[in-house]
Amino acid sequence: MARFPGARSPRARTPRALTLGLDAITVEGSLIAPAMLAQVAAQPDDDATRTAYRIPKGLALRDEIARSFRIGQALFTDLTASPTPSGAKTTSFAGAFLRDVLGFTDIARPGTRTRGDRVFAVTLEALGGRVPVVVVPPSDDLDKPSPHLPGDHRRRSAASALQDWLNANDDAVWGLATNGDRLRLLRDNASLTRPAYIEADLKRIFEGEAFADFTALWLLLHAQCFGAPGNPPFDSKLEHWRETGSKEGTAARERLREGVEAALLALGTGFLADPANADLRARLRNGTLPLPDFFGQLLRLIYRLIFLLTAEDRDLLHPAGTALDPRKLYADGYSLSRLRDRAIRRSAWDRYHDAWEGLLITFAALARGEPRLGLPALDGLFAPGTIPDLEALRLSNRALLEAIYRLAWLRDDGALVPVNWRDMETEELGSVYESLLELTPRLTDDERAMTFAEGAEQKGNARKTTGSYYTPDALVQTLLDSALDPVLDRVEAEAEDPAAALLGVTVIDPACGSGHFLLAAGRRIATRLARARAEGVASAEDFRHALRDVARSCLHGVDRNPMAVELTKVALWIETVDPGKPLGFLDANIRCGDALLGVFDMAALAKGIPEAAYKPLTGDDKATAKYYATRNRDEQKGQGSLDFARGGGRLPAAAPLAQARAAL
């Protein structure tokens, strides 16, 4: 969860909307990176900032914002003096708020705009049409169909009406929708596949004297941030902040990859070094616990931590209606957010074990359910037996808190900022996955620390032997444009019940990797499904419910790498988790196996497996490859008897990769 510097932590969170450490400002989707919003809200009171916002000489930044706050508060008080403000009164309030509070000097009232035979509701316009505004009265939800909007025969919500006009109008990129109580910023996005907006709760700001929240709102939505009339529509501070945040996010992903590796090392070394874990070292030494199995359990532990960081920031662990006392008990005593905050205090990095013991209680509660903490039984990632060896070990606070610190915090120009797991996209998860494939765990000579292989031993091994390569998002989207969208268009056009028909579409990725393609496909189907189910524009809640249904009914994946299967499930779980509902629904859809035969002409099978299939590659055991090459030549005389399970020869110890290739 991104927090504005110096802001207080919220007591109550808006469901599905990221709180920025300010009770009244929420972000849905990735319109502008939260870290970038934090920078916007923390702009210094210097000559450059005062000039940029055209603050009169002699006034400080805070003075001008305070003056605007009192004006806005008076306007809002006047609007809410009536128990049921009309659409006309709300429109007057919106115009005055734009002019007197946010600095827009030209406010027009077009009412509607047309493009071809389409009619769009545009209540107000500012900056010569550069900033369209759709207004409805407070009785109308921004995401529900409004009877107060003009247009064609289709009923639209304020948010959908604005989004439609932004998508159709080349001269406007950013716009505002409001019902007097809430003010929402949206952006042109014709290929929108999930809700994306920044919203301010004006009622909470002005009735609760939330000056810090208003400061963030004013600095973000002032007229000077939308660009000047006559300039290209993409020439604005908002667009600059959006692009800068995206670039900084790319750089942060690189640091995040390093953080995940450091977290793995901290956990692995922490378990190995603890004096109480002598049995672990003995089992690794004699092979009863293979090092890859130990490393796999460490990865699952990392996945659990990532899931909890994300789910807690999205407020998705507790079902709706969970009482305050269980929520508070969880937050204060058992949440990962508590450990995340504790991790930045180096004095907490001690030799005791209470943090790990408490985390195991959390894991057990999520596995079976725990009413005293308000937690449902999630199963799936938290199912019993997922990390059996680790649960029996001790881990110092120093090791666990270092791992959490590496996962949850980044250094940015000397300042410590939280990693935004709340809005982490599949690009980030895929980047993490890509880096994990390069890791080969090793133990130090004294068996009390874990390292990763380097140099020739490591270079390229995992990718070559598993055929695992991360697919860039641009390529995934291009593929979906040409392969999936035409299918969805046809399904919706031909079906009497489009929602049911969309859930009948099947998407399979035979080498699913980190789940990037599956999740992107799921989002496209879910967007259409949510729209088909909703009367107006689909809300964030509608989209999440639709995506869960799509993941359960439509998405299937296979990968030969068990680590990829785990990460695909985690990516889908993070996106589709519904408070109170279990995670195990994906276990039948995402499976570990080899779905690629690699034969284009089935007649080729009559000739047997070619000898080239047994040529050792980097990382393969040469003795194993030679063994199967010889056996293949011997058995080609009676093709069909090759059977790894009942083979007459003895399989060398390091055989899995050559064996898997031969099985093709």
Side-chain angles (χ1 to χ4, degrees), residues 391-574:
E391 290 175 343
L393 301 174
R394 293 217 310 184
L395 183 66
S396 70
N397 292 344
R398 177 182 181 84
L400 178 59
L401 294 179
E402 180 183 356
I404 294 174
Y405 175 84
R406 300 295 185 184
L407 289 175
W409 298 93
L410 294 174
R411 284 282 177 186
D412 188 8
D413 292 332
L416 195 62
V417 296
V419 173
N420 179 28
W421 285 108
R422 159 61 178 82
D423 278 322
M424 194 66 66
E425 299 281 1
T426 50
E427 290 82 0
E428 282 85 345
L429 287 174
S431 175
V432 171
Y433 168 64
E434 186 181 26
S435 67
L436 295 180
L437 286 177
E438 298 291 346
L439 303 180
T440 301
R442 293 286 183 265
L443 300 183
T444 57
D445 292 339
D446 62 1
E447 299 174 342
R448 291 182 176 272
M450 190 177 77
T451 62
F452 295 127
E454 298 179 353
E457 180 186 9
Q458 171 63 15
K459 188 177 181 181
N461 175 62
R463 295 196 190 186
K464 286 186 178 182
T465 54
T466 63
S468 302
Y469 290 89
Y470 174 67
T471 307
D473 182 66
L475 183 57
V476 169
Q477 300 304 328
T478 299
L479 178 58
L480 294 174
D481 289 342
S482 60
L484 181 60
D485 280 353
V487 174
L488 300 181
D489 291 341
R490 186 178 71 251
V491 165
E492 287 187 300
E494 297 176 354
E496 294 184 5
D497 184 352
L502 287 168
L503 287 174
V505 174
T506 299
V507 177
I508 184 168
D509 187 344
C512 59
S514 62
H516 188 181
F517 174 82
L518 285 177
L519 185 52
R523 283 175 174 166
R524 294 209 180 192
I525 302 173
T527 298
R528 298 188 185 221
L529 177 61
R531 288 174 180 170
R533 289 173 170 176
E535 295 181 16
V537 68
S539 67
E541 193 79 6
D542 296 331
F543 176 80
R544 191 178 77 251
H545 290 320
L547 186 56
R548 184 181 179 89
D549 291 341
V550 167
R552 180 190 296 110
S553 302
C554 306
L555 305 183
H556 302 269
V558 181
D559 202 285
R560 63 185 294 182
N561 190 324
M563 180 167 51
V565 172
E566 295 283 350
L567 190 55
T568 296
K569 289 181 184 179
V570 171
L572 290 172
W573 280 331
I574 285 174

Side-chain angles (χ1 to χ4, degrees), residues 181-218:
D181 283 346
R182 294 179 177 274
L183 180 62
R184 181 179 295 186
L185 174 70
L186 291 99
R187 183 186 182 277
D188 172 20
N189 191 346
S191 60
L192 183 70
T193 57
R194 62 188 302 190
Y197 57 80
I198 301 172
E199 184 174 278
D201 186 338
L202 299 181
K203 182 180 179 68
R204 182 173 290 184
I205 286 175
F206 292 124
E207 292 185 354
E209 294 278 343
F211 185 75
D213 303 66
F214 179 80
T215 298
L217 171 68
W218 192 90

Side-chain angles (χ1 to χ4, degrees), residues 317-319 322 326 329-330 334 360-384 579-583:
L317 284 184
H318 293 94
T322 301
L329 179 60
Y330 174 78
Y334 298 93
L360 288 177
I361 294 174
T362 302
F363 291 163
L366 290 168
R368 66 174 187 267
E370 178 50 72
R372 288 173 293 181
L373 297 177
L375 295 177
L378 293 184
D379 197 47
L381 183 62
F382 298 94
K581 294 184 179 180
L583 300 176

Side-chain angles (χ1 to χ4, degrees), residues 27-34 194-197 242 423 425:
V27 174
E28 181 63 48
S30 53
L31 202 64
I32 297 176
R194 62 188 302 190
Y197 57 80
R242 173 181 170 82
D423 278 322
E425 299 281 1

